[in-house]
């Protein structure tokens, strides 16, 4: 995808059968930071976004970690740090969902 482009595909999962989506890409080498445990510097060149949207507009986002608090549990949100994004949706309904990948 080029900057600003979006890719979409519709799916119709079985009801109550878990959906797992993973997007990963090889990103160009960025500027390395000084050695540190859980650095907070953002280094992505290409920031792709993965979303699962149901027909009513409800958006499911990927898991993210907070590098300033690595001991806290992952939450779902806009992952702007990693070149891997993962969505887990435990109990989908028997309806259409759209997988959206966007380059920002």
């Amino acid at each position: 995808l080029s900057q600003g482009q979006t890719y979409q595909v519709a799916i119709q999962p079985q009801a109550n059968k878990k959906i797992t989506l993973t997007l990963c890409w090889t990103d160009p080498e960025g500027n390395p930071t000084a050695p540190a445990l859980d650095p907070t510097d953002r280094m992505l060149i290409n920031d792709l976004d993965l979303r699962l949207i149901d027909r009513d507009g409800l958006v499911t986002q990927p898991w993210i970690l907070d590098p300033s608090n690595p001991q806290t549990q992952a939450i779902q949100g806009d992952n702007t740090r990693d070149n891997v994004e993962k969505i887990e949706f435990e109990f989908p309904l028997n309806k259409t969902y759209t997988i959206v990948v966007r380059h920002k």
Side-chain angles (χ1 to χ4, degrees):
L1 293 176
S2 296
Q3 181 73 17
Q5 283 188 311
T6 300
Y7 171 81
Q8 299 184 110
V9 63
I11 61 170
Q12 181 123 12
Q14 294 177 0
N16 298 316
K17 187 164 183 172
K18 182 180 177 179
I19 298 171
T20 301
L21 306 170
T22 304
L23 173 69
C24 59
W25 64 98
T26 302
D27 206 53
E29 186 175 321
N31 296 326
T33 62
L37 178 62
D38 298 319
T40 57
D41 304 65
R42 288 190 168 93
M43 294 180 274
L44 277 180
I45 304 298
N46 295 299
D47 186 4
L48 302 180
D49 287 329
L50 178 64
R51 302 288 186 267
L52 180 66
I53 305 172
D54 75 8
R55 68 176 178 216
D56 300 318
L58 179 65
V59 178
T60 303
Q61 295 183 314
W63 293 105
I64 58 173
L65 294 170
D66 181 356
S68 60
N69 292 306
Q71 72 280 4
T72 59
Q73 290 185 345
I75 60 170
Q76 288 180 295
D78 185 17
N79 186 338
T80 60
R81 297 184 179 282
D82 304 304
N83 63 330
V84 176
E85 297 201 1
K86 183 176 183 178
I87 292 175
E88 295 174 306
F89 190 55
E90 294 288 337
F91 302 107
L93 300 175
N94 186 15
K95 62 180 178 178
T96 302
Y97 293 82
T98 304
I99 300 169
V100 178
V101 178
R102 182 174 58 115
H103 184 296
K104 65 176 180 191

